[in-house]
Amino acid sequence: MAVETRINLKELASKPEKFAPGHRLCSGCAEGIIVRQILSAIDDPVVVATATGCLEVATSLYPSTAWRVPWIHNAFENAATTAAGAEAAYRALVRKGKLPDRNIKFLVFGGDGATYDIGLQWISGAFERGHRIVYICLNNEAYMNTGIQRSSATPTGAHTTTSPAGEVIPGKIQWRKPITEIMAAHNIPYVAQASPSHWRDLMIKVRKAVAADGPSFLNIFADCNRGWRHDTATAIEISRLAVETCYWPLFEVENGVWKLNYKPKEKKPIEEWLKLQGRFRHLFQPKFRHLIDEIQARIDQEWEKLLERCGEK
Ligand SMILES: Cc1ncc(C[n+]2csc(CCOP(=O)(O)OP(=O)(O)O)c2C)c(N)n1
């Protein structure tokens, strides 16, 4: 896949913004940063579909909108299907000569609730049919818009309103669902994991995703200071630490080939990432400390498996 990987910050800064300021995302929310990174990485015209979630409700409050691109509102579950329908209609009209082919790209944004849980079968269906859409999961690891309920992306040990840490449970019990692997198992042309802290890597992945001849999937780490209980100024620092601890490895699967995009020089202990977030505060009590070791062991195991898959071992 030949894509332009050269990214010049000066050029980027002079491009018109496709995502307007004045939206109602929380201060310090990573989602606004990520959406700007994504939209500025793409030069072709785009159509965006969003699933219900923080991004949608904070950017489309009638009568205003933050979207300076064509945008389609969706229910929680069917954003992938809507984009797939729009893409199919567009291709048919181009084929019949009723529309010029402007190389329009169809993007979907969904939270982890929309992606990992409620929308999964719809995304799977769109991928299986081969629609040329880019599905982007803004993964803030819980159902944040409705008040911090656990999702299947929530990490083990995290306190949420539906996995409250207390006498009965030490935060969420289950391990997060391996959605990036599940999407890669669809054998679509492009699947990747990215983080806004590594913006160049993220933007190149976006370019590869839109250039793919078929469906593509991006799982993007989306820090949420409200739900993760930390200062509003540290989204990027925490995202970088997620990569440096190998909690959030940066990798891609291009036409079935797994590739690691970043290997930390020194793998940091997960404790460093956990201790910055109030959602894990209880884990540092003596009675739950063993959980930190268990989380570390699982991260190590998954990292080793990924290294093998990517031919790094
Ligand atoms: C079928 C359905 N179930 C529940 C809801 C209520 N609801 C709206 S947004 C939301 C949470 C969204 O979570 P997520 O997709 O992770 O996005 P976030 O808000 O965290 O960005 C829920 C449960 C809904 N709109 N539709």
Side-chain angles (χ1 to χ4, degrees), residues 11-77:
E11 266 171 39
L12 280 185
S14 63
K15 279 192 191 175
E17 281 282 353
K18 294 178 214 161
F19 186 66
H23 53 67
R24 296 176 57 89
L25 288 166
C26 302
S27 50
C29 170
E31 293 195 349
I33 302 171
I34 298 166
V35 171
R36 289 178 67 209
Q37 289 174 343
I38 291 174
L39 293 181
S40 55
I42 307 171
D43 287 325
D44 291 317
V46 296
V47 169
V48 168
T50 55
T52 324
C54 290
L55 181 69
E56 168 155 321
V57 302
T59 59
S60 63
L61 223 61
Y62 186 81
S64 54
T65 175
W67 297 93
R68 290 179 180 157
V69 294
W71 171 89
I72 319 174
H73 153 75
N74 287 269
F76 203 14
E77 57 280 65

Side-chain angles (χ1 to χ4, degrees), residues 107-242:
L107 309 185
V108 187
F109 288 96
D112 49 287
T115 309
Y116 283 62
D117 300 333
I118 303 182
L120 182 56
Q121 63 175 312
W122 308 59
I123 304 165
S124 178
F127 284 181
E128 189 270 333
R129 292 190 302 275
H131 289 281
R132 201 167 164 179
I133 59 171
V134 181
Y135 190 99
I136 299 152
C137 176
L138 295 179
N139 186 356
N140 58 21
E141 305 196 314
Y143 293 47
M144 294 305 183
N145 175 52
T146 38
I148 322 173
Q149 296 92 24
R150 59 85 88 189
S151 79
S152 61
T154 303
T156 307
H159 168 96
T160 71
T161 53
T162 46
S163 61
E167 292 306 314
V168 182
I169 54 164
K172 192 186 168 201
I173 305 286
Q174 301 83 1
W175 195 255
R176 58 186 168 170
K177 194 190 271 183
I179 207 79
T180 316
E181 278 178 68
I182 294 170
M183 294 310 184
H186 285 72
N187 292 323
I188 55 177
Y190 193 72
V191 170
Q193 254 186 211
S195 162
S197 53
H198 296 65
W199 57 270
R200 197 180 289 275
D201 172 81
L202 185 150
M203 291 175 82
I204 292 170
K205 284 171 174 166
V206 170
R207 289 186 178 174
K208 287 187 177 182
V210 293
D213 190 16
S216 53
F217 177 77
L218 299 173
N219 196 0
I220 305 195
F221 196 65
D223 185 290
C224 167
N225 60 63
R226 290 289 302 124
W228 299 6
R229 301 290 184 218
H230 65 76
D231 189 76
T232 54
T234 48
I236 295 300
E237 183 188 329
I238 289 181
S239 307
R240 185 169 297 116
L241 208 43

